[in-house]
Amino acid sequence: MAARIIDGRQIAHEVRGEVAVRAGALVQVGVTPGLAVVLVGDDPASAVYVRSKTQAAREAAVAVFDHRLPATTSQRDLEALVDRLNQDPAVDGILVQLPLPPVLDSRAILERIRPEKDVDGFHPVNVGKLWSGGRGFVPCTPLGVMRLMASVDTPLSGADAVVVGRSNIVGKPMAALLMAADATVTVCHSRTRDLAERIARADIVVAAIGRAAMIRGDWIKTGATVIDVGMNRVDGRWMGDVEFAAAAERARALTPVPGGVGPMTIAMLLSNTVDSAENRRVE
Ligand code: NDP
């Protein structure tokens, strides 16, 4: 069986097109969606992510407010910036790029962002809403995964889903979304026994580990949908967490790395920002 390769670039392009239309409609009524991006320090990977996010935002008619701060920034100064952005009516979304320099208290910063502007969905109020069935912001990567699964009509209700990884950014919100969509969800992590057997029973596998090709292709159940969130740099190339070619022999549909989940994360960030701007218009 040859798997369908899920083209994340194409689907992200579609989402960004939808976002641009919605942003354009807001501009017509005098509301320009605005995203504040805060980058502290000079971590090269973070700088690349921030550049991609700001570029995509501008292309989608979302105004970007760029805040680059030195690695020596104090907790108090960063909190003061977040307070200003919370108050600024031109700012619909606030994104503080992680990781922050280790001397800073990331949790305190994320909790300081007003939940209505927390387009990353990391604030405890939004996390609580996700788990309790409320309407809040959902983290962008798992939100993008849901869209990718929908693009290939993946049956979710009653499906056995295995999420490998339990981070706050990917694994946990992924599990919440799948559960809300009526899948039966198993969350695996570094202490899980029998990972191979659990995956062998899964109709849906979401791998968010950060270990190249750790999920072997011959573990995959025939007909499963496989979403590979992992981004691993190996010999100068990006590789996912799933052994791609072997998994493609058995899966019904799967994502490549690169070109799968990655482009969706940015698209969903823009979508969340425009949601926030639309809410502002309603207020
Ligand atoms: P974390 O490092 O926060 O979490 C990794 C998870 O994998 C942990 O829960 C860990 O378990 C689990 N794990 C580690 N080793 C094993 C193992 N041998 N067996 C089973 N589980 C294991 O990473 P993130 O969630 O932030 O990211 C995961 C991957 O996704 C990374 O490659 C990252 O680069 C990528 N990523 C990609 C994005 C995109 O847009 N494409 C966005 C965000 C992340 P434990 O909790 O026990 O330590």
Side-chain angles (χ1 to χ4, degrees), residues 49 140-142 163-172 187-192 195 207-212 214-215 228-232 238-241 257 260-266:
Y49 293 141
C140 306
T141 301
V163 178
V164 193
R166 57 174 164 178
S167 71
N168 291 328
I169 296 174
V170 190
K172 282 183 202 155
V187 180
C188 299
H189 47 76
S190 66
R191 306 297 169 90
T192 298
L195 182 64
I209 311 164
R211 285 169 177 249
M214 211 206 99
I215 308 277
D228 193 347
V229 183
M231 302 256 288
N232 309 288
W238 288 109
M239 278 183 76
D241 290 341
V257 177
V261 175
M264 293 302 289
T265 297
I266 295 179

Side-chain angles (χ1 to χ4, degrees), residues 85-164:
L85 297 172
N86 278 337
Q87 298 302 326
D88 186 342
V91 172
D92 296 295
I94 303 173
L95 179 151
V96 177
Q97 182 65 42
L98 300 177
L100 289 170
V103 291
L104 295 174
D105 180 349
S106 305
R107 181 182 285 266
I109 297 294
L110 295 181
E111 291 184 5
R112 206 165 178 106
I113 297 172
R114 268 179 60 192
E116 302 79 26
K117 295 192 177 191
D118 167 43
V119 286
D120 261 337
F122 297 155
H123 190 286
V125 165
N126 285 319
V127 176
K129 284 184 175 172
L130 175 60
W131 284 97
S132 61
R135 273 174 60 88
F137 286 114
V138 175
C140 306
T141 301
L143 200 55
V145 171
M146 294 301 282
R147 176 88 182 219
L148 292 177
M149 288 194 291
S151 77
V152 287
D153 302 317
T154 306
L156 299 177
S157 181
D160 281 320
V162 168
V163 178
V164 193

Side-chain angles (χ1 to χ4, degrees), residues 9-29:
R9 287 197 184 102
Q10 173 57 31
I11 297 158
H13 180 74
E14 287 166 23
V15 172
R16 297 209 321 244
E18 292 160 17
V19 167
V21 169
R22 288 167 57 208
L26 285 168
V27 170
Q28 292 289 313
V29 295

Side-chain angles (χ1 to χ4, degrees), residues 204-279:
I204 295 167
V205 178
V206 180
I209 311 164
R211 285 169 177 249
M214 211 206 99
I215 308 277
R216 297 254 306 272
D218 59 8
W219 296 354
I220 302 295
K221 177 175 167 180
T222 301
T225 299
V226 179
I227 308 286
D228 193 347
V229 183
M231 302 256 288
N232 309 288
R233 198 85 180 148
V234 180
D235 299 332
R237 285 177 47 228
W238 288 109
M239 278 183 76
D241 290 341
V242 178
E243 210 182 18
F244 181 81
E249 306 259 314
R250 302 169 77 106
R252 159 187 178 275
L254 87 168
T255 57
V257 177
V261 175
M264 293 302 289
T265 297
I266 295 179
M268 300 324 286
L269 171 73
L270 300 178
S271 177
N272 279 352
T273 304
V274 172
D275 284 348
S276 176
E278 288 174 347
N279 295 342

